[in-house]
Amino acid sequence: MRASRREILKALGLGPFALPLLPAAPARAAGIASRLLCVVHTGGYRQLHWRPPEGPLTGPLPSSAAPLEPWKNQVIFLPGLANPHHRGSPEGAYPCVFYGLPQRTAADNYAEPLGKTVDQVVAGVLPGGPARALALHVQIDLPPVPIERGATRCLWAGPDQPVVPAGDPTAAYQRLFAGRPGDPGVSKLLLERKSVLDVVGKSLQRWRERLGPEERHVVEGHLQAVREFESTLGATQPGACTVPPVAAGDVRDPKLWSKILDSQLALAVAALSCGVSQVVTLQLSNSTGAGVDFGQFVPGVPALGTGSGPPGAGRGWLDLARNGTLGGSDLKRIVDRWLMEKLAGLLGRLQGVPVPGGTLLDGSVVLWGSQMHDGDGGDPRVAWLLAGRGGGYFKTGQCAPTAGKPLTGVLADICKAFAVPGQPFGPVHGTLNS
Amino acid sequence: MAFLCRARGGRGLTAIAGLLLAGLAFTSCSDRSATGTEGGGGTTGAGGSTTSGGSGGSVGGRGGTSGTGGVGGTSATGGSGGTGGEPPLNDSSRPGPRPLYRLSDSEYANTVRDLLGEALPTDAPPLQPGPDTSAFDTDLPVGSRISNSNDVSRVVDNAEMLAAQSVGRLSLLLPVDCPTGPADPAIEEMCIRRFIERFGVRAYRRPLDHVEQLEMLELYQRIRSPELGGSFQDGVRVLVSAFLQSPHFLYRWELAGPPTVSVDGSVIRLGAWEVASRLSYFLWASMPDQRLFETAAAGTLLNPGRIAEEARRMLADPKARDGLRAFHLAWLGVDGRRLAEKDASFSKYSPEIARLMLQETGDFAASVVQGGQADGRLTTLLTSSTSMLDPALAAFYGAPSPGAGVRAVALDRNQRAGLFTQGSFLATYADDKYDRPFLRGLAVTERVVCQDIPFPPDIFLDPMPEPKPGQTSRQRWEAVATETTPPCQSCHRFFNPAGYAFSHYDAVGAFRTSDNGTPVDARAEWTVNDQTIKFTDAVDLMRQLAPMPQVHECVARHWVRWLLRRSELQAEEPAIRVALQLAGPGADLRELLVALTRTRLFSQRAPSPGEPLR
């Protein structure tokens, strides 16, 4: 007998139901950020149409950024940030985009960080620790994707420890939220899983004592991952929040890219609002972004095979950066604006979740970044956005004077907003703090 | 995607100077020798001192106290077989530490098949997202680390799925005289104890110790407790799931009991269970079979002659096809994803053709080693114009149909010569539309003559310009080699010519006589180890390379890397030479592999730095 995975899950009583399994996150002190959402893509933005004048956001936003108009008091534009350790190509810059410190060259010739990326650093000081960091992606593994590790990994729990994101929102939803309170099948499955993980954990604990430091490090990472997984199972406890079921369809269908993005964003907000996680990361592209076909779902971008672009040109980030203009239309600019609509939608979702004393957005920090500035592969700068006041830390509503300043300053500010001890990314930027 | 290499202004030379100062042996490609003994590989230590051939008795066995109970016995270690630690061969190699690595996806699938008697379902999620598999110093499959909850989730999902399926075959899993349904509690417990013992030894590839057995029994009892209310089948299902999630199943580290260490602490002799798994993953890419387990339990597998005997048996077994396929795909650096990503303009190409190309490489390699027609010779592997094709791939190559199924098919001997002219290699080292001569040349340089080319630091990778009308791929890349700056030029000038030999093959490996409307010119000269080879095309190049001693040595070197799952160390070089001698002047691959199982590298290792030895 050969049963499909779906059949077995069904047989085990799993299904997309409505209530979370975990209690809400413990409250943090006022004035300190409590939730972090990091989103990364490639290609940057057409600066002329995206970048507002430096200073307070008093005038209308440029056309690509216009969807953020209702949110401009909640955002900080961060154009022109310097990436001092840029490796000369956007591909090489991708793995360390949220790291920014001196790097190493991995066996596959991609740069890799020598420490944790900002999401992991912040997760380390939040309740639940790194165990509660949720990593997601949207079709970063669709072809053509370079086979090197650094082409798809940009978040790191440490040297040689890539954070592998989940690309199926339905599966992630089931893992995080499945089960009706009192459903005996689900309760039984969770208890079974915890029993097995307990055996696995003990086995790892004993085994590491018999190994040298190098091997012990590998086993300890495995043990930590098991604990992390176990913590997401949690105790079966009806929560106070309700989340809609997430279903995205075939996660490898390029036409569903936008739908999967929406599902992952919904999942991210659900995870943050229900306390399943305090840190969520979402990778929208691999190092090239060539696997996306925006022509499939972005209005105004013709589908592949139409128009008069270069032979074989795709409609992904890579091609838009190089051949963005088609028939007189700047498709890159259209996609930039569409992405800002998605960001605006995300901010709306966060704003729509009430928490004691305000909304989910108030205590959150959204880092929306790219390893590029405007699509020029040799340009070592990056253009980012911050959103959310982070519990009052950030001085939102401005286009910050970040030109030429190292991106590590922004990462340092984020760490400070979360009260991370020390200065893991060096000094703060200086003008982002309210 | 193709990228054009150019040095980053002013910094490239500085960085190269830094490498020189650091003694990293990167001068220029033209200065490089072909000895290929880079060593290093990220592991430390060279294995410490060893006694010279004939002694080595300090690495003692366990005095011939044999294990009890055969497979599934409860002893922690099997006996030594009474050889007293005689060195396997008169080689002076000093083995280094072994890396801790995890089963690769293909090893996992093979192992599950052999453990549970069932193939991994096609909709099983990949255990390891591809890029992480090549995280170490070579692109050998060493598994990715399990470092976050998503990784664990994949392990759990697969284990639960397989376990749920396995309870449908309960009678095959349980000891023969055990009931598969409700039974007297005493009988049930006895059966479960025996199941844990017998299934455990196969899952962990060594006997479980007392604590491990007890934990599994307690897990079963918990599933059967009133709180969880699980049935007998539930209990077995959860036990199978637990075994499949255990690190002792997922990682290759089959140490049973304390290691057997030499008096000076510099050498560890692998135990019988470790040798059994080393043999099986080396030759089968899967777990040991019943005979290997029994031999391990009896302790006789510590005898070098017995190891070699088992190796010969295993090479003749059909499961060797899995090992040969896995090795050759890894050696060639063939990646299924690159094969799959081709432009739609290649109308005869399809994912099915890509799959058949991977199958061809495995079947062809096996045909050289196994069967009545096999001569085992490396020359055959590198130059044969006969391949193993099914009708669809034969049609793609323009070859006669073999009829139904996979058969040996004679290809045009002016077009194809061995592994490196097969579609899997050629389509891997190409982008979606164009062949990439420099990648093919680089692959031949690193994989056939073992000259490692370091990636130049601080370079830009600009988009490769589209070919001009009438411009061949070779002309396109020759222009690149001219236009790039010195740090790039020195290497490209070194290895590009080897790639020009493959100009007759397009991005999907189809043979062509013209490229972009211009006749193909595959002639070139390539200087390797102060020897200049003039060739007319890839067939000619491979025929000239195949008999060269340095090529034989390179292939042996790659087999050693496959065995160790890391680069070889300088102190391990003697084992390569000894094995090559035993393989004979024709480099009989069967003799080479058997000889490698007799070396110190196979049955010994150095302790890892800081490893507790008691």
Side-chain angles (χ1 to χ4, degrees):
Chain A
M1 183 198 83
R2 182 170 298 169
S4 74
R5 178 168 181 266
R6 196 169 297 283
E7 287 169 335
I8 287 163
L9 285 173
K10 188 179 172 188
L12 291 172
L14 273 179
F17 304 117
L19 289 171
L21 301 171
L22 295 172
R28 301 202 85 208
I32 297 178
S34 57
R35 295 171 183 87
L36 175 64
L37 174 56
C38 299
V39 180
V40 65
H41 62 87
T42 186
Y45 313 97
R46 290 273 193 263
Q47 293 294 308
L48 181 64
H49 307 292
W50 177 83
R51 175 181 181 162
E54 189 175 298
L57 299 176
T58 51
L61 293 174
S63 59
S64 295
L68 295 175
E69 194 68 41
W71 302 102
K72 66 184 180 184
N73 289 331
Q74 290 278 3
V75 300
I76 306 176
F77 285 78
L78 304 163
L81 284 165
N83 185 356
H85 300 286
H86 189 267
R87 291 294 186 96
S89 72
E91 288 79 18
Y94 179 81
C96 298
V97 58
F98 289 155
Y99 180 67
L101 297 171
Q103 302 146 14
R104 72 186 184 115
T105 300
D108 59 14
N109 300 315
Y110 271 68
E112 289 188 0
L114 295 166
K116 297 176 181 180
T117 44
V118 68
D119 53 300
Q120 296 292 307
V121 171
V122 168
V125 302
L126 291 177
R132 291 287 178 85
L134 176 64
L136 307 171
H137 79 85
V138 183
Q139 295 190 335
I140 62 170
D141 50 1
L142 276 197
V145 50
I147 61 172
E148 293 84 0
R149 178 166 78 176
T152 52
R153 303 287 175 256
C154 65
L155 303 158
W156 303 82
D160 203 27
Q161 295 177 62
V163 174
V164 181
D168 184 345
T170 309
Y173 179 89
Q174 285 179 337
R175 174 156 65 89
L176 297 172
F177 297 106
R180 292 167 296 207
D183 183 320
V186 172
S187 300
K188 180 182 162 188
L189 174 71
L190 292 175
L191 288 171
E192 278 182 11
R193 279 187 170 176
K194 288 175 77 71
S195 301
V196 171
L197 291 171
D198 187 44
V199 172
V200 172
K202 286 177 182 171
S203 187
L204 285 161
Q205 279 178 321
R206 282 198 309 275
W207 190 30
R208 69 178 173 185
E209 301 307 320
R210 300 176 61 188
L211 301 171
E214 195 173 320
E215 294 79 19
R216 197 178 304 148
H217 180 66
V218 174
V219 172
E220 281 170 352
H222 188 162
L223 179 59
Q224 175 64 30
V226 168
R227 287 174 175 153
E228 177 183 328
F229 180 81
E230 203 168 7
S231 80
T232 65
L233 298 177
T236 306
Q237 179 177 333
C241 60
T242 302
V243 294
V246 171
D250 180 0
V251 293
R252 292 188 63 79
D253 183 349
K255 295 189 195 72
L256 296 183
W257 195 95
S258 177
K259 186 178 178 188
I260 292 167
L261 169 60
D262 290 341
S263 296
Q264 294 288 47
L265 288 172
L267 184 64
V269 172
L272 293 172
S273 63
C274 297
V276 168
S277 177
Q278 285 81 59
V279 175
V280 179
T281 59
L282 177 57
Q283 294 173 240
L284 304 189
S285 78
N286 56 39
S287 65
T288 69
V292 189
D293 179 6
F294 289 111
Q296 298 273 4
F297 47 83
V298 177
V301 177
L304 266 176
T306 61
S308 56
R315 300 282 184 267
W317 267 295
L318 184 74
D319 302 287
L320 292 178
R322 292 176 183 169
N323 314 303
T325 302
L326 183 66
S329 295
D330 187 346
L331 305 185
K332 167 73 174 148
R333 184 178 162 187
I334 294 173
V335 170
D336 288 351
R337 181 185 171 101
W338 184 85
L339 268 181
M340 292 300 99
E341 289 172 0
K342 292 295 180 186
L343 172 56
L346 169 65
L347 299 181
R349 287 175 190 266
L350 292 169
Q351 180 82 350
V353 178
V355 297
T359 73
L360 189 60
L361 182 60
D362 297 331
S364 299
V365 176
V366 177
L367 172 60
W368 185 284
S370 168
Q371 93 280 28
M372 297 179 76
H373 196 236
D374 62 1
D376 177 356
D379 188 339
R381 295 175 296 170
V382 302
W384 289 355
L385 274 160
L386 276 175
R389 296 198 175 95
Y393 177 88
F394 283 110
K395 182 183 174 184
T396 52
Q398 61 164 325
C399 178
T402 45
K405 303 287 180 58
L407 61 84
T408 48
V410 177
L411 303 179
D413 268 305
I414 292 173
C415 287
K416 195 165 181 185
F418 284 88
V420 174
Q423 293 186 316
F425 292 98
V428 297
H429 181 268
T431 62
L432 309 183
N433 187 352
S434 58
Chain B
M1 264 155 291
F3 294 103
L4 170 61
C5 162
R6 66 184 165 91
R8 193 173 182 180
R11 292 181 56 195
L13 290 173
T14 307
I16 291 169
L19 284 174
L20 282 170
L21 288 172
L24 293 182
F26 175 56
T27 52
S28 71
C29 288
S30 57
D31 295 333
R32 295 176 61 75
S33 74
T35 53
T37 53
E38 288 292 310
T43 55
T44 55
S49 63
T50 52
T51 53
S52 58
S55 62
S58 57
V59 188
R62 291 186 167 255
T65 53
S66 64
T68 59
V71 177
T74 55
S75 73
T77 59
S80 73
T83 59
E86 180 185 357
L89 275 184
N90 193 13
D91 76 287
S92 58
S93 56
R94 289 178 294 145
R98 67 174 171 183
L100 173 64
Y101 76 90
R102 187 179 154 198
L103 297 180
S104 69
D105 274 1
S106 62
E107 288 171 330
Y108 179 88
N110 294 341
T111 304
V112 161
R113 176 201 63 200
D114 294 340
L115 179 66
L116 299 175
E118 182 135 22
L120 199 61
T122 52
D123 65 345
L127 269 185
Q128 313 183 61
D132 303 311
T133 305
S134 57
F136 283 62
D137 62 328
T138 68
D139 48 11
L140 292 165
V142 288
S144 57
R145 290 189 179 183
I146 295 173
S147 56
N148 73 6
S149 63
N150 290 335
D151 300 329
V152 176
S153 178
R154 282 188 293 273
V155 171
V156 171
D157 282 353
N158 267 317
E160 289 180 349
M161 174 170 40
L162 290 163
Q165 289 181 190
S166 71
V167 294
R169 306 158 59 91
L170 212 52
S171 60
L172 298 179
L173 293 178
L174 293 172
V176 287
D177 50 350
C178 281
T180 57
D184 178 85
I187 294 175
E188 179 180 327
E189 182 175 327
M190 180 194 70
C191 280
I192 287 301
R193 284 180 183 274
R194 286 166 58 198
F195 170 74
I196 290 169
E197 191 177 287
R198 295 185 182 194
F199 187 80
V201 76
R202 298 177 66 236
Y204 289 3
R205 304 176 289 275
R206 61 161 175 80
L208 275 62
D209 63 29
H210 177 69
V211 174
E212 289 168 336
Q213 291 190 38
L214 195 60
E215 277 179 351
M216 286 296 183
L217 182 62
E218 287 172 352
L219 173 63
Y220 175 82
Q221 289 166 341
R222 176 155 169 68
I223 299 304
R224 294 282 275 140
S225 69
E227 183 188 4
L228 286 175
S231 64
F232 175 74
Q233 285 85 352
D234 286 334
V236 175
R237 172 175 56 78
V238 173
L239 283 179
V240 171
S241 177
F243 277 118
L244 296 180
Q245 293 179 50
S246 168
H248 301 297
F249 172 77
L250 295 170
Y251 294 89
R252 288 287 328 285
W253 194 275
E254 295 87 4
L255 185 61
T260 305
V261 189
S262 63
V263 171
D264 67 358
S266 66
V267 182
I268 291 176
R269 179 173 184 157
L270 301 190
W273 301 101
E274 294 172 284
V275 169
S277 283
R278 186 164 260 204
L279 269 172
S280 69
Y281 284 96
F282 179 52
L283 298 175
W284 287 349
S286 187
M287 61 181 280
D289 66 355
Q290 184 72 7
R291 174 164 155 173
L292 268 179
F293 278 136
E294 287 170 356
T295 314
T300 51
L301 206 47
L302 295 180
N303 182 316
R306 187 63 190 270
I307 293 174
E309 181 185 321
E310 286 299 321
R312 288 187 194 283
R313 175 185 72 86
M314 295 170 71
L315 274 173
D317 189 285
K319 283 203 281 188
R321 302 174 79 86
D322 295 329
L324 291 164
R325 172 192 162 104
F327 166 76
H328 284 89
L329 293 180
W331 173 33
L332 266 58
V334 165
D335 186 281
R337 285 169 297 161
R338 280 228 164 113
L339 283 180
E341 297 167 10
K342 297 299 175 185
D343 192 80
S345 62
F346 295 107
S347 57
K348 294 180 181 174
Y349 192 79
S350 65
E352 176 62 7
I353 291 293
R355 187 189 68 77
L356 292 171
M357 285 178 169
L358 293 173
Q359 180 178 307
E360 178 200 8
T361 295
D363 289 343
F364 170 69
S367 75
V368 174
V369 173
Q370 290 188 318
Q373 305 298 314
D375 66 8
R377 292 167 65 90
L378 177 58
T379 306
T380 305
L381 192 72
L382 296 180
T383 65
S384 174
S385 57
T386 298
S387 193
M388 302 299 290
L389 305 179
D390 98 324
L393 189 55
F396 179 81
Y397 282 153
S401 175
V406 175
R407 298 277 189 284
V409 175
L411 298 164
D412 186 333
R413 64 191 309 273
N414 295 315
Q415 295 184 6
R416 306 283 171 176
L419 277 181
F420 288 80
T421 58
Q422 291 183 352
S424 64
F425 173 79
L426 297 164
T428 293
Y429 295 95
D431 64 22
D432 58 338
K433 284 196 293 188
Y434 306 112
D435 54 304
R436 301 179 72 177
F438 95 91
L439 277 185
R440 291 172 176 177
L442 182 60
V444 169
T445 303
E446 293 186 332
R447 296 167 197 274
V448 182
V449 295
C450 281
Q451 292 205 11
D452 292 335
I453 308 295
F455 194 79
D458 288 328
I459 60 164
F460 288 122
L461 292 174
D462 284 350
M464 182 72 182
E466 288 288 311
K468 298 169 185 164
Q471 188 182 35
T472 65
S473 281
R474 173 175 181 162
Q475 290 166 343
R476 193 170 165 225
W477 285 96
E478 281 176 333
V480 169
T482 305
E483 290 166 7
T484 52
T485 44
C488 300
Q489 278 183 6
S490 64
C491 283
H492 278 281
R493 283 179 174 167
F494 172 62
F495 57 71
N496 278 14
Y500 299 148
F502 297 87
S503 298
H504 280 298
Y505 311 98
D506 65 14
V508 295
F511 190 82
R512 65 188 175 190
T513 54
S514 66
D515 179 10
N516 202 12
T518 301
V520 166
D521 179 6
R523 293 171 300 175
E525 289 184 12
W526 187 35
T527 301
V528 187
N529 199 23
D530 298 329
Q531 184 178 352
T532 298
I533 306 172
K534 292 184 182 178
F535 50 83
T536 55
D537 54 22
V539 171
D540 187 23
L541 173 64
M542 296 316 297
R543 286 178 183 157
Q544 294 191 54
L545 287 174
M548 292 172 67
Q550 73 182 78
V551 173
H552 297 185
E553 181 183 307
C554 184
V555 174
R557 194 174 296 285
H558 278 280
W559 270 108
V560 166
R561 292 172 184 174
W562 174 254
L563 168 67
L564 303 175
R565 301 299 164 100
R566 61 166 168 78
S567 293
E568 66 283 2
L569 305 175
Q570 188 72 42
E572 294 168 335
E573 291 287 330
I576 296 173
R577 289 193 289 274
V578 166
L580 274 172
Q581 284 171 6
L582 290 178
D588 187 315
L589 293 165
R590 296 163 298 194
E591 295 304 322
L592 174 71
L593 299 185
V594 171
L596 284 174
T597 67
R598 298 175 60 197
T599 64
R600 290 174 187 270
L601 301 193
F602 195 88
S603 54
Q604 299 178 7
R605 68 177 174 94
S608 296
E611 178 182 353
L613 298 179
R614 291 287 177 264

